[in-house]
Amino acid sequence: MHILVTGFEPFGSDTINASGEMVHRLPASIGPHRISTAILPVAFTTSGPALEQLVAAHQPDALICLGEAGGRDAITPEVRGVNIDDARIPDNEGAQPRNTPIDPSAPEARPATIDPASVVQSLIREGFNARLSQDAGKFVCNDVAFIAYGGSVPALFIHVPAVRPEGQRALVGAETDGSTTASTWTFERLAEALQLVLAGF
């Protein structure tokens, strides 16, 4: 199986995005699976088209999109993406849509097309902190989830905790939960968990 995994560039005043760090740490293969990776811009107008171009170029069998959630200390696969952009802060291009449909002709929400519950169960079995999320926020992460869930490739958006090097704390990343919290995860532990997820496909 060929799996495309995307993460995001840093945004706001942060210089690190845990989702992008994870993408950089993934190997080219996990078990029988070939892994392709890419970094998406944190921008409402360009992240969706960039994702669609990547899918067209790589022709993957599955798509895993990663983003970071500064208010969570669990790995949280997103059950759905909602058809609304409502930004608390501007994106990296300065855009700040408020209460704006992503696609006026599309449904109000789209479900994940890879089972998020099975991913949570596999992580919990191996001792990782994981839970389902019903709310991907309304920032660029949700925008990408909504687009990914409407594509032709089976897809799952996974929020990871906003891991930072020791002594640092995420300054942004509260777009899902309204606040930030210091993560108890390390980059190594998070990479181990994500490789477990990818190995399970």
Side-chain angles (χ1 to χ4, degrees):
M1 177 181 285
H2 180 200
I3 306 172
L4 173 62
V5 184
T6 68
F8 283 104
E9 66 184 357
F11 69 102
S13 52
D14 268 334
T15 59
I16 290 174
N17 188 306
S19 68
E21 287 293 317
M22 290 303 99
V23 164
H24 293 314
R25 290 166 185 254
L26 286 174
S29 62
I30 298 175
H33 307 317
R34 179 162 63 97
I35 308 298
S36 294
T37 60
I39 300 295
L40 296 175
V42 180
F44 286 100
T45 59
T46 55
S47 58
L51 179 66
E52 291 169 341
Q53 290 168 12
L54 286 164
V55 170
H58 288 281
Q59 294 290 301
D61 301 301
L63 173 63
I64 301 297
C65 299
L66 304 176
E68 70 169 18
R72 302 179 187 179
D73 202 36
I75 294 176
T76 51
E78 296 295 340
V79 171
R80 62 180 188 157
V82 297
N83 190 6
I84 199 78
D85 288 335
D86 193 20
R88 180 182 65 87
I89 60 173
D91 68 13
N92 280 355
E93 294 180 350
Q96 190 175 4
R98 302 312 305 261
N99 202 34
T100 303
I102 298 168
D103 181 352
S105 65
E108 291 184 2
R110 289 172 174 159
T113 47
I114 292 174
D115 182 16
S118 65
V119 170
V120 169
Q121 290 164 6
S122 67
L123 287 166
I124 290 174
R125 277 197 304 268
E126 297 300 322
F128 294 102
N129 186 9
R131 59 179 173 80
L132 289 175
S133 170
Q134 302 281 347
D135 184 0
K138 295 182 178 65
F139 200 58
V140 180
C141 285
N142 172 76
D143 189 286
V144 165
F146 184 79
I147 291 168
Y149 292 175
S152 59
V153 175
L156 182 62
F157 192 101
I158 301 175
H159 266 118
V160 300
V163 180
R164 295 292 185 269
E166 187 174 355
Q168 294 186 29
R169 181 169 178 159
L171 302 175
V172 295
E175 285 60 48
T176 48
D177 303 282
S179 64
T180 58
T181 185
S183 175
T184 61
W185 291 73
T186 63
F187 288 126
E188 292 73 21
R189 181 70 170 161
L190 189 54
E192 183 183 349
L194 291 173
Q195 290 190 40
L196 172 70
V197 170
L198 296 173
F201 286 106

